[in-house]
Amino acid sequence: MLERGEVANSWRRERWDSLRLLTPNWQSRLPGHRYEGPDPDGYMTMGEVIEFIERFAAVSRAPVRTGTDVTSVRRTDDGYHVTTSRGEIGCRAVVIASGACNRPTVPQFTDAVPASVLQLTPFDYRGPTHLPDGGVLVVGASATGVQLAAELKRSGRPVILSVGEHVRLPRLYRGRDVLWWMDASGVWDQRHDEVDDLTRARRLPSPQLVGTPERGTLDLNVLAATGVELVGRWAAVRDGRALFSGGLRNVFSLADLKMRRLLDSFDEWARAHGREAEVDPPERFAPTHVPESARWQLDLRSGEIRTIVWATGFRPDYGWLDVPVVDAKGRLRHEGGVVDSPGLYALGLPVLRRRKSTFIHGIEDDAREVIDHLTRCLAVRR
Amino acid sequence: MTTIDNGVNVQALLDAREVLKGAPEAAQFTWRASSKWQNGVHSTTTIQNFFGLGQEQSHKSETVFTADHPEVFAAEDNGITPIEYLLVGLAGCLTAGVASVAQNRGIQLRSVESTVEGNHDIRGILGADSDVRNGFNDIKVTFTIDADASKEDIEALVAQSQKRSAVFDALTNPTNVTVEVA
């Protein structure tokens, strides 16, 4: 196992200070290792996640070579040649487990933003104290964007949040964590070959969730109530002005309708499986409130905004992979983690084999199946 | 089970989607209109040809659109106002979207009607107040749909139609426009 930094490296270096896991503690389970603390319904801080993964590395006695950066993987006659910062390795099979979030993605028009405005990605952001005073424009309303908008607003700054398509979820539904429902009702176990539109499922943004001791919901209504100003998707920069889409109302409708369908499916599942007694009565949440008139432009030179935080997603980085298995959009071509090159595999990518593939507890089933394929493949080729 | 038929060949569209995924160059279309001044603020615009799927294409017949301004604008009112054509485009696009999405989702439509209202402060175009924009301040579309579906499913149709609408996108997002003198 090659690790460019330390065990749990991205949790140590690529996360902001206040972040907690979106999944409740009881869901943090790896083969032979689970959360056993006093707060199963709580959400781990980054320090706790690092400790959890370190402990798993120890109990599983994973042969981790830390501080080993892979700079190239090349195909050979009988396997792969791996070049690292600590030497060369020949092997018959490679499992890529470097994740889907190696680089923040930002739109092309960042160059057109005036230099007087500081631009940050989630990789640069640690907390509000590191930002200049004054207004902040947070771009993107998935988990990262809503969390940073809330935190920056609490720090006393004016915050504008640019909202495109998003996934709205309540933190608790009928008294249970919404991720309990995802787990119990079988949504998370849905396999990649059962999902209607796999490409869309793999591109689904992270839901508007936050892990806090209060177990509160962090949707756009909550943000708006704290004074965060909502604007449409940022479409372009023209003459130093940010231009936002006038289609805000429809992204609200799409998210409200999707959430409602999901909650309907939870209710249906509870009825069909005799679980009604375990949970509170069904609830419905108010539609996302549409501002009287959302502005569609903002003068970036006016000083109203001092900082832009790009919470516009992440992409994998396969710059080191010298095997032609990456598509035009920079995504790995694979079928359930089996990459289109003998002996090459992937784990931990969105909906790799199941909807839960990118969650900590989602790796076990995927890993079993992928490694099973790998061992059979090696046995045949021997 | 009765067959759903809204008159949309969804299979052809789904097939095209698959083909064009691997052939982005064929997906590049250019729509064209040719306009001619008549007199006053009256003009006619003709549309017949366009480019797409790698070659010149043509509508079955030429269509001529007359644009003018109403009498309250001291004009002859030979046809609708240019900005009203935007409402025509938006209604046509969203309605086509509703029918297509309904077909794809197996929803039989019985009637789809809509009203489109664009609020316009004409002080902008008259130059009476430089703080007022020239275009619409806002547009409201109201659909009345009779279909074999729940209210929520109908709302989802309308939402998905907006999500995939060319004109909705063109109106809600900025577009680079180049105007030259040949």
Side-chain angles (χ1 to χ4, degrees):
Chain A
M1 273 189 83
L2 306 182
E3 164 57 60
R4 71 192 147 137
E6 303 166 74
V7 168
N9 199 62
S10 50
W11 297 100
R12 292 173 196 272
R13 315 210 179 279
E14 295 170 0
R15 305 288 186 268
W16 59 95
D17 295 343
S18 67
L19 179 66
R20 288 171 182 257
L21 281 190
L22 300 185
T23 41
N25 290 329
W26 62 266
Q27 241 165 20
S28 289
R29 42 182 195 253
L30 288 164
H33 182 50
R34 59 174 58 235
Y35 175 85
E36 275 163 352
D39 184 18
D41 291 325
Y43 309 92
M44 289 185 197
T45 62
M46 285 309 97
E48 289 165 332
V49 174
I50 293 163
E51 208 177 299
F52 183 82
I53 295 174
E54 271 183 332
R55 236 176 320 129
F56 180 64
V59 297
S60 66
R61 278 180 276 170
V64 185
R65 292 192 200 171
T66 54
T68 308
D69 196 16
V70 173
T71 54
S72 158
V73 171
R74 230 177 279 281
R75 196 147 162 62
T76 60
D77 289 343
D78 58 348
Y80 294 89
H81 184 85
V82 180
T83 306
T84 80
S85 56
R86 294 203 173 175
E88 316 283 317
I89 299 168
C91 55
R92 297 180 57 210
V94 172
V95 180
I96 300 169
S98 49
C101 301
N102 307 125
R103 297 269 182 275
T105 49
V106 294
Q108 282 182 340
F109 53 75
T110 53
D111 293 348
V113 172
S116 56
V117 178
L118 176 71
Q119 299 186 55
L120 298 175
T121 71
F123 278 17
D124 308 316
Y125 177 89
R126 305 307 303 199
T129 53
H130 299 95
L131 263 63
D133 286 340
V136 185
L137 172 56
V138 178
V139 189
S142 294
T144 301
V146 295
Q147 289 188 26
L148 299 190
E151 174 167 285
L152 287 161
K153 185 67 202 166
R154 277 196 304 274
S155 77
R157 290 173 174 78
V159 175
I160 300 174
L161 179 64
S162 167
V163 182
E165 274 196 67
H166 55 275
V167 179
R168 181 185 179 194
L169 285 183
R171 179 73 266 185
L172 301 181
Y173 182 60
R174 301 180 67 177
R176 296 284 196 137
D177 197 297
V178 75
L179 301 183
W180 175 85
W181 289 93
M182 298 286 273
D183 191 47
S185 70
V187 175
W188 262 353
D189 282 321
Q190 225 177 52
R191 292 177 50 90
H192 69 295
D193 43 13
E194 295 168 355
V195 171
D196 269 348
D197 187 340
L198 184 59
T199 311
R200 191 196 301 177
R202 284 182 170 161
R203 294 187 57 231
L204 199 67
S206 58
Q208 290 171 337
L209 286 177
V210 62
T212 59
E214 299 76 32
R215 304 172 80 198
T217 292
L218 186 58
D219 60 17
L220 297 175
N221 283 345
V222 170
L223 282 173
T226 68
V228 170
E229 180 184 344
L230 306 179
V231 297
R233 184 172 188 273
W234 189 347
V237 179
R238 193 181 282 166
D239 304 331
R241 286 169 180 270
L243 302 184
F244 305 111
S245 168
L248 190 57
R249 187 183 290 264
N250 195 47
V251 294
F252 291 173
S253 297
L254 286 165
D256 288 348
L257 287 160
K258 269 180 212 152
M259 176 177 75
R260 202 159 165 175
R261 279 201 293 275
L262 183 70
L263 301 183
D264 282 345
S265 76
F266 291 162
D267 293 343
E268 178 59 39
W269 169 83
R271 253 194 316 275
H273 293 79
R275 308 290 290 265
E276 295 279 6
E278 282 177 57
V279 291
D280 296 344
E283 309 168 68
R284 283 299 171 263
F285 302 95
T288 306
H289 178 72
V290 183
E292 200 55 59
S293 110
R295 59 171 136 177
W296 47 269
Q297 60 173 327
L298 170 71
D299 188 350
L300 297 168
R301 293 164 306 195
S302 68
E304 183 182 354
I305 290 302
R306 299 289 311 281
T307 311
I308 293 168
V309 180
W310 297 106
T312 35
F314 301 92
R315 62 178 172 83
D317 177 10
Y318 296 114
W320 46 270
L321 183 59
D322 299 316
V323 185
V325 289
V326 177
D327 71 16
K329 300 237 170 149
R331 290 183 296 240
L332 197 65
R333 284 200 312 269
H334 69 92
E335 180 67 41
V338 181
V339 181
D340 187 21
S341 177
L344 195 56
Y345 295 88
L347 279 173
L349 295 177
V351 202
L352 185 104
R353 281 189 173 241
R354 294 166 179 81
R355 284 201 189 266
K356 65 181 178 185
S357 288
T358 30
F359 291 83
I360 288 176
H361 72 284
I363 194 68
E364 181 170 357
D365 290 342
D366 281 8
R368 269 186 220 296
E369 292 173 15
V370 167
I371 298 312
D372 182 54
H373 190 289
L374 186 153
T375 48
R376 272 186 290 126
C377 179
L378 287 187
V380 170
R381 285 161 59 203
R382 189 168 286 277
Chain B
M1 200 183 113
T2 53
T3 313
I4 301 301
D5 186 8
N6 297 323
V8 181
N9 188 346
V10 163
Q11 195 51 50
L13 299 177
L14 295 175
D15 292 348
R17 176 164 80 178
E18 280 315 302
V19 171
L20 294 179
K21 263 184 195 171
E25 61 295 340
Q28 308 310 311
F29 275 62
T30 303
W31 304 102
R32 298 193 196 103
S34 311
S35 185
K36 191 172 179 7
W37 175 58
Q38 300 299 325
N39 184 45
V41 290
H42 172 203
S43 66
T44 50
T45 299
T46 308
I47 294 185
Q48 180 158 29
N49 301 321
F50 58 95
F51 180 90
L53 303 180
Q55 59 184 10
E56 282 299 319
Q57 307 275 354
S58 189
H59 285 289
K60 272 192 207 159
S61 59
E62 181 186 90
T63 310
V64 180
F65 299 90
T66 303
D68 201 347
H69 289 74
E71 289 180 352
V72 292
F73 278 50
E76 290 180 357
D77 207 4
N78 289 297
I80 64 170
T81 311
I83 200 167
E84 289 173 297
Y85 277 104
L86 293 180
L87 306 183
V88 175
L90 182 59
C93 197
L94 291 177
T95 305
V98 166
S100 306
V101 177
Q103 183 76 46
N104 193 38
R105 293 185 180 177
I107 296 173
Q108 180 64 55
L109 298 172
R110 280 186 292 273
S111 81
V112 180
E113 292 177 14
S114 63
T115 54
V116 189
E117 289 177 321
N119 292 312
H120 190 197
D121 184 340
I122 66 163
R123 287 178 300 170
I125 53 174
L126 291 173
D129 186 335
S130 58
D131 292 334
V132 175
R133 71 179 287 188
N134 296 331
F136 288 126
N137 282 316
D138 50 65
I139 298 174
K140 185 170 188 203
V141 185
T142 310
F143 271 99
T144 308
I145 296 176
D146 181 15
D148 290 327
S150 67
K151 185 169 184 291
E152 266 182 41
D153 286 344
I154 289 173
E155 284 172 3
L157 283 184
V158 174
Q160 184 66 20
S161 162
Q162 291 167 74
K163 181 176 161 171
R164 286 278 167 261
S165 165
V167 180
F168 182 85
D169 175 74
L171 283 171
T172 54
N173 291 305
T175 306
N176 280 321
V177 180
T178 306
V179 181
E180 286 177 341
V181 177

